[in-house]
Amino acid sequence: MSGLTRRQFLKRTLASGVAGGLVLSGGVRIAHAASATDVMGTLYDLTRCDGCIGQKVPLCVTVCREENKSRFPDPVPAEQIQYYWPNKKKEDWQGKKHLTNRLTPYNWTFVQKAQVEHNGKPLEVFIPRRCMHCDNPPCANLCPFGAQYKSPEGPVLINKDLCLGGAKCRDVCPWGIPARQAGVGLYMKIAPKFLGAGVMYKCDLCYDRVKKGLEPACVVSCPRKAIMFGSKKTLREVAYKRAEEIGGFVYGDKENGGTSTFYVSSVPFEKINAALKEQKSRQQDPAATGFPLMQAGVANFLDSANGMVAGMLAAPVAGALAAGYAAYKTMKEG
Amino acid sequence: MGEKILPEINKVQRHGLSVLFVHWTMALSTMVLIFSGFGQMPMYRRYGLTALPGLGWSADYSVTLIIHYIAAMLFLLAVFYHIVYHLIRKDFDILPRRGDMKESLAIMKSIIFGGKEPPCDKYLAEQRLAYAFIAFLVFAISVTGVIKVMKNLPSFNFSGNLLIWVNDVHTLASMLLVFGILAHLAAFVFRVNRPLIAGMFTGKVDLDYCKHRHCKWYDRLLLKESCKDRE
Ligand code: HEM
Ligand code: HEM
Ligand code: SF4
Ligand code: SF4
């Protein structure tokens, strides 16, 4: 084939490049449609929270359990739940519904108590914990079934009808937040012995209430006004202002690449984390999930993958260019 | 390196370096993508793969995700190379043609029950159909794969429904591709197809094989030679 002019060659190269480029540009338009609503967030002022001293169970926990009662798992009876074949193991919490001192499928928020030393004095810090509703949630992004997503309003949601309970979200969450209940959900309808393991449960920031313009139940319940709810952007500013006022610190802004939950404390979070870690090491199973730490500046699981995106864009371009060169060369020879 | 008859060594030049490069880059990256892709689903620990010696890392999503990304780059590089290369050269020998379904049935019948094969071009009818099947899946996997890469970036937040579709298409197409590759390899169970394997490594196939099996292609090559002689 020798009748090819340089112009024809260029034209064909361009046309084929454009065809390939469509693959890349097609998705971009879809992306812009999804981000109109204001993202909501919360702020925990740890200088205010006293863990509801005097109450058997902190109010935010009690109210959360009440609010979400109807959405807690409804599994088959314990004796009918199979082990996760071929392992002799299953995560069934229906006998431990009463637990309020950790995260379980039946308890989506709890209050940690950390003994720290601050300015030479011992101090007790109370830290209500739950899902942080991260800005770029690895839990939702990496769900192989698309059973999780970040709503335009901010809350990160698990689709209980689609979740198979593989707990990948818990593995990639820096705090191991989602909790698994066996014997419930889609997998029970397929091959419950061999595939799937249940459904993951966690706080959804009272999404139904938020959509109606109401505040999450815990926010309303707090007698000490320790939890604020509002636009994430505003709360972020409030958090830093408050931290400045008290010479304190903010958690949740940098962590996991940004979240919509901010904690303000007068004590450095490194100290709080150290205290929590120490507590955890004394637990029966120190590796167990459900008792999150507070690693300052913890990285997002997706950082290293996302760092490769330039390469992902360059690869097709390199392929097209190399092909153009090779085609031109072989055609000239032919 | 165009196709031509090489009478002095009793061979026919079937593929150029570009085709060999694309095929083996695809083959390698696809195998890695399948392994690392299924590793994105929580199964290697549960079903004991991690217990095998040397495979302890296989359930670590942070490892398999990076492997998947690297292999995806190779894969996309090869896909774009393939498309651009053949579009520019206008080599469309492998695209399916009208009547391929019927013809491939005839070929299979003759392979299994004996008898004469219909005269074939450079690619057999089933190769053209196999190509279409695999190309379609590769396209679907690439598009959904790129969207999956985008959704991992902080700057993108797709709707829940889109994520379900993208994930399901990616996974389903991957499963079909595994099936397609098994069928592709099964083709070489039949002795008649085996000369093509050497061809995929060296670029050359035996002259006799070509004359007998790909006689339409052989005729085209002869015609090209004689035209060239006349120039
Ligand atoms: C033969 C090619 C491929 C096969 C067999 C394959 C297979 C898979 C499978 C089975 C999964 C897990 C299920 C899921 O998350 O949907 C997966 C996930 C993924 N694949 Fe692929 N894949 C291939 C090519 C690609 C390509 C070319 C890209 C990128 C351009 C890509 C990007 C991804 C991403 C980003 C994930 C999941 C991790 C995540 O959710 O972010 N894949 N792949
Ligand atoms: C070790 C594995 C493999 C071997 C030994 C192999 C071998 C071959 C051979 C001998 C051919 C025939 C080429 C010709 O007509 O001259 C071929 C074609 C082809 N291969 Fe592979 N291949 C392998 C893996 C793959 C994989 C993983 C893919 C998928 C991405 C793939 C996709 C194709 C396609 C699309 C064709 C053209 C259509 C066809 O001939 O069926 N191959 N391969
Ligand atoms: S805290 Fe964990 S579960 Fe909640 S959105 Fe962030 S990564 Fe997901
Ligand atoms: S946040 Fe408010 S309701 Fe919750 S434990 Fe602290 S003081 Fe009690």
Side-chain angles (χ1 to χ4, degrees), chain A residues 44 48-52 58-60 111 128 218 221-224 226-227:
Chain A
Y44 286 99
R48 290 220 177 118
C49 173
D50 64 357
C52 289
L59 280 172
C60 49
V111 181
C218 56
S221 77
C222 178
R224 301 192 39 96
I227 322 176

Side-chain angles (χ1 to χ4, degrees), chain A residues 1 12 16 20 31 34 85-87 136 141 146 150 162 168 193-194 196 301 305-306 308 315-316 319 323 326 330, chain B residues 1 40 42 46-47 61-62 69-70 73 77 80-81 84 87-90 151-154 156-158 160 164 167:
Chain A
M1 246 193 279
R12 284 198 222 160
S16 48
W85 182 92
N87 309 289
N136 191 34
N141 278 335
K150 185 169 176 71
L162 214 58
K168 184 180 181 184
K193 186 171 159 85
F194 302 107
F301 187 89
N306 286 340
M308 297 168 71
T330 51
Chain B
M1 240 207 284
Q40 297 307 305
R46 172 164 180 181
Y47 301 119
Y61 303 118
S62 64
Y69 267 54
I70 294 172
M73 287 183 208
L77 189 144
F80 275 71
Y81 191 110
V84 172
L87 275 181
I88 294 178
R89 290 178 50 104
K90 293 194 172 161
K151 67 129 177 58
N152 284 345
L153 291 167
F156 290 97
N157 187 30
F158 296 125
I164 296 174
N167 279 306

Side-chain angles (χ1 to χ4, degrees), chain A residues 3-319:
Chain A
L4 190 79
T5 66
R6 188 168 222 107
R7 167 173 303 175
Q8 265 174 327
F9 168 78
L10 277 177
K11 244 161 95 187
R12 284 198 222 160
T13 310
L14 270 179
S16 48
V18 167
L22 276 179
V23 176
L24 290 170
S25 62
V28 177
R29 248 173 293 121
I30 310 167
H32 285 300
S35 58
T37 331
D38 214 5
V39 173
M40 304 307 276
T42 43
L43 190 159
Y44 286 99
D45 188 339
L46 299 187
T47 64
R48 290 220 177 118
C49 173
D50 64 357
C52 289
I53 276 180
Q55 299 278 350
K56 241 177 82 199
V57 177
L59 280 172
C60 49
V61 179
T62 307
V63 166
C64 174
R65 290 163 68 91
E66 190 55 35
E67 174 72 26
N68 293 302
K69 207 165 46 187
S70 64
R71 298 163 59 233
F72 285 160
D74 186 17
V76 299
E79 62 280 6
Q80 285 172 33
I81 300 181
Q82 316 226 35
Y83 286 123
Y84 301 149
W85 182 92
N87 309 289
K88 273 239 165 315
K89 180 188 125 168
K90 57 184 173 184
E91 290 179 29
D92 179 12
W93 292 90
Q94 58 186 307
K96 299 176 196 147
K97 290 181 190 170
H98 59 281
L99 290 181
T100 52
N101 59 355
R102 55 160 295 154
L103 297 175
T104 78
Y106 298 89
N107 196 62
W108 299 350
T109 183
F110 78 112
V111 181
Q112 293 173 315
K113 183 164 104 179
Q115 299 276 1
V116 294
E117 208 191 82
H118 190 53
N119 296 334
K121 281 184 293 214
L123 183 71
E124 269 187 341
V125 188
F126 296 90
I127 320 141
R129 298 303 297 273
R130 54 154 169 78
C131 172
M132 306 279 285
H133 302 289
C134 303
D135 294 350
N136 191 34
C139 56
N141 278 335
L142 289 169
C143 172
F145 312 103
Q148 261 190 67
Y149 67 101
K150 185 169 176 71
S151 63
E153 295 87 352
V156 175
L157 310 174
I158 298 176
N159 182 340
K160 68 171 174 34
D161 300 319
L162 214 58
C163 175
L164 292 171
K168 184 180 181 184
C169 49
R170 185 173 66 191
D171 290 343
V172 297
C173 167
W175 302 283
I177 298 286
R180 173 157 66 188
Q181 174 60 44
V184 60
L186 185 60
Y187 92 110
M188 292 299 284
K189 298 198 185 102
I190 308 169
K193 186 171 159 85
F194 302 107
L195 283 173
V199 174
M200 308 303 294
Y201 293 87
K202 70 171 187 66
C203 157
D204 68 350
L205 208 63
C206 291
Y207 188 55
D208 289 339
R209 293 176 59 101
V210 168
K211 263 196 312 194
K212 277 188 244 156
L214 298 171
E215 299 187 315
C218 56
V219 175
V220 182
S221 77
C222 178
R224 301 192 39 96
K225 303 259 168 294
I227 322 176
M228 284 166 78
F229 176 77
S231 132
K232 180 200 148 163
K233 233 171 89 198
T234 318
L235 286 183
R236 185 173 172 276
E237 284 162 25
V238 174
Y240 279 104
K241 216 179 276 159
R242 175 76 182 139
E244 203 182 305
E245 260 168 46
I246 59 172
F249 307 87
V250 174
Y251 190 83
D253 181 33
K254 306 255 162 36
E255 284 70 23
N256 206 19
T259 79
S260 47
T261 304
F262 304 107
Y263 290 89
V264 178
S265 151
S266 56
V267 186
F269 284 95
E270 285 81 358
K271 278 193 192 173
I272 294 178
N273 188 45
L276 294 178
K277 231 168 149 172
E278 194 275 327
Q279 250 180 73
K280 197 166 175 161
S281 70
R282 284 186 279 116
Q283 278 176 0
Q284 208 178 14
D285 174 8
T289 51
F291 190 85
L293 299 176
M294 278 203 123
Q295 319 89 305
V298 65
N300 189 297
F301 187 89
L302 288 164
D303 285 349
S304 35
N306 286 340
M308 297 168 71
V309 155
M312 199 66 88
L313 283 173
V317 177

